[in-house]
């Protein structure tokens, strides 16, 4: 998708996004450097209690993405990002799980056909490799504990929006066994994971990417009806197209629950395209941004 992706902090629980007229007050980070983007954010709290955000950082069409970290602050100051992991090829999104033994991160390596487990280093400046979680790659690996069992979801790299795989294990770090009816879902849209699971009104919910319009991605909130080693069924209950009254208003593809806040991403036309459009209309306006370096 042509444009500029960025990360935003939505100052409300993720469940409020299920409301048709939900609050759209998103505080977007300051714009990334020209030609780069920030997307697919997942957060954790460091030892000092400060919010940290891992995300995919892109620097251009001919370079591989890296996994980087930023620390948004309430005082509006955004410190320079730090690279946490880089490879010679693009990586999947950095799904974060906070556990008593540390902050863990799931990352898929499509070019090497495997899914890896990392842990944030003690100095919070790198991702330390723990183990290979799956001897296959899945797009957007997403983990959740449900009814005494760990579940791992992700889509097929050959059909990232249309074929959903599910695996289960007794322990967080595996070994994982495919669901009896894997793949558990095959459809044209709504398979690819789009962030963290959450519980609402006694049900488990799974966000997925709505790519019905490939030029305006959205989020489908699926309510999980059945999930065990023998059965899986979910129903799409609500679709979020993004935050239309904000700067990055042309789509969304990730939501990450962080208690009282939610991390999101959004896209807007590339700055040069906006300048051309503004010039054609006779006015040039600088977009409003909420966090400054």
């Amino acid at each position: 998708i042509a444009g500029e992706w960025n990360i935003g902090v939505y100052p409300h629980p993720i469940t409020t996004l299920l409301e048709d007229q939900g609050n759209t007050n998103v505080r977007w980070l300051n714009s990334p450097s020209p030609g780069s983007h920030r997307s697919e954010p997942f957060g954790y709290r460091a030892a000092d209690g400060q919010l940290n955000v891992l995300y995919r950082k892109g620097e251009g069409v001919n370079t591989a993405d890296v996994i980087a970290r930023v620390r948004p602050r309430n005082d509006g100051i955004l410190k320079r990002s730090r690279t946490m992991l880089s490879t010679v090829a693009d990586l999947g999104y950095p799904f974060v799980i906070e556990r008593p033994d540390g902050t863990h991160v799931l990352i898929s390596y499509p070019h090497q056909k495997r899914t890896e487990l990392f842990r944030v280093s003690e100095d919070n400046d790198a991702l330390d490799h723990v183990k290979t979680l799956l001897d296959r790659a899945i797009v957007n690996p997403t983990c959740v504990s449900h009814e005494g069992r760990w579940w791992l979801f992700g889509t097929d790299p050959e059909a990232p929006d249309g074929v959903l795989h599910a695996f289960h294990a007794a322990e967080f770090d595996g070994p994982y066994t495919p669901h009896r009816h894997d793949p558990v879902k095959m459809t044209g849209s709504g398979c690819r994971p789009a962030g963290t699971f959450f519980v609402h009104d006694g049900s488990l919910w799974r966000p997925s990417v709505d790519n019905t319009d490939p030029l305006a991605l959205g989020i489908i909130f699926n309510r999980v009806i059945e999930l065990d080693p023998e059965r899986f069924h979910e129903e799409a209950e609500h679709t979020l197209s993004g935050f239309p009254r904000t700067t990055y208003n042309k789509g969304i593809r990730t939501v990450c629950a962080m208690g009282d806040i939610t991390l999101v991403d959004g896209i807007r036309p590339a700055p040069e395209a906006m300048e051309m459009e503004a010039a054609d209309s006779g006015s040039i306006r600088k977009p409003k941004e909420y966090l400054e370096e």
Side-chain angles (χ1 to χ4, degrees):
I1 300 177
E4 178 186 271
W5 284 94
N6 200 8
I7 298 169
V9 178
Y10 174 70
H12 304 280
I14 194 171
T15 54
T16 63
L17 295 176
L18 297 173
E19 303 170 5
D20 289 334
Q21 302 297 325
N23 192 317
T24 57
N25 176 29
V26 177
R27 294 177 290 150
W28 298 104
L29 275 62
N30 60 290
S31 300
S33 58
S36 65
H37 65 84
R38 307 184 190 102
S39 65
E40 298 173 316
F42 289 89
Y44 61 95
R45 297 285 179 180
D48 59 3
Q50 186 173 344
L51 174 65
N52 287 248
V53 180
L54 295 180
Y55 67 98
R56 290 179 63 184
K57 180 180 180 181
E59 296 291 353
V61 295
N62 296 320
T63 60
D65 292 345
V66 303
I67 303 302
R69 172 178 61 79
V70 292
R71 291 184 289 181
R73 291 168 45 168
N74 293 332
D75 58 9
I77 298 175
L78 175 65
K79 292 187 176 180
R80 191 173 300 277
S81 65
R82 173 185 288 274
T83 295
M84 301 286 276
L85 182 69
S86 62
T87 68
V88 297
D90 286 341
L91 299 170
Y93 72 16
F95 186 83
V96 170
I97 301 176
E98 294 188 82
R99 292 178 52 77
D101 58 342
T103 298
H104 292 75
V105 185
L106 301 180
I107 300 177
S108 181
Y109 280 58
H111 60 295
Q112 296 183 353
K113 299 181 180 180
R114 53 194 172 92
T115 301
E116 302 291 345
L117 176 64
F118 293 84
R119 182 187 293 112
V120 176
S121 66
E122 291 186 4
D123 294 331
N124 197 24
D125 59 359
L127 297 182
D128 296 334
H129 184 256
V130 176
K131 63 182 294 186
T132 297
L133 205 61
L134 281 179
D135 288 321
R136 63 182 294 179
I138 54 175
V139 177
N140 291 5
T142 303
C143 206
V144 66
S145 176
H146 177 66
E147 295 184 349
R149 188 175 297 272
W150 282 94
W151 289 91
L152 176 61
F153 285 80
T155 53
D156 194 310
E158 299 298 322
D161 291 297
V163 178
L164 179 65
H165 295 287
F167 309 84
H168 59 89
E171 303 293 337
F172 159 69
D173 58 352
Y176 280 87
T177 301
H179 191 280
R180 180 178 178 182
H181 299 292
D182 187 67
V184 295
K185 185 175 183 178
M186 299 178 68
T187 184
S189 181
C191 284
R192 186 193 302 228
T196 54
F197 282 82
F198 62 95
V199 175
H200 177 61
D201 285 345
S203 296
L204 185 68
W205 293 71
R206 187 184 76 90
S208 63
V209 176
D210 178 13
N211 70 326
T212 305
D213 180 355
L215 299 181
L217 297 182
I219 301 290
I220 298 173
F221 290 103
N222 304 281
R223 184 166 62 92
V224 177
I225 308 300
E226 293 180 305
L227 176 57
D228 61 44
E230 303 290 327
R231 296 176 293 273
F232 173 73
H233 177 63
E234 65 181 11
E235 295 181 356
E237 298 282 354
H238 182 67
T239 300
L240 175 69
S241 59
F243 302 95
R245 295 187 295 278
T246 68
T247 303
Y248 292 85
N249 59 359
K250 299 301 182 182
I252 180 175
R253 62 184 179 189
T254 313
V255 288
C256 172
M258 290 288 297
D260 292 337
I261 67 171
T262 307
L263 301 176
V264 300
D265 56 10
I267 188 173
R268 68 176 179 179
E272 55 270 21
M274 291 192 297
E275 291 177 2
M276 291 178 61
E277 181 180 353
D280 290 341
S281 65
S283 64
I284 297 180
R285 295 185 301 170
K286 184 178 180 180
K288 181 179 180 182
E289 292 151 357
Y290 295 87
L291 300 182
E292 300 177 353
E293 288 187 299

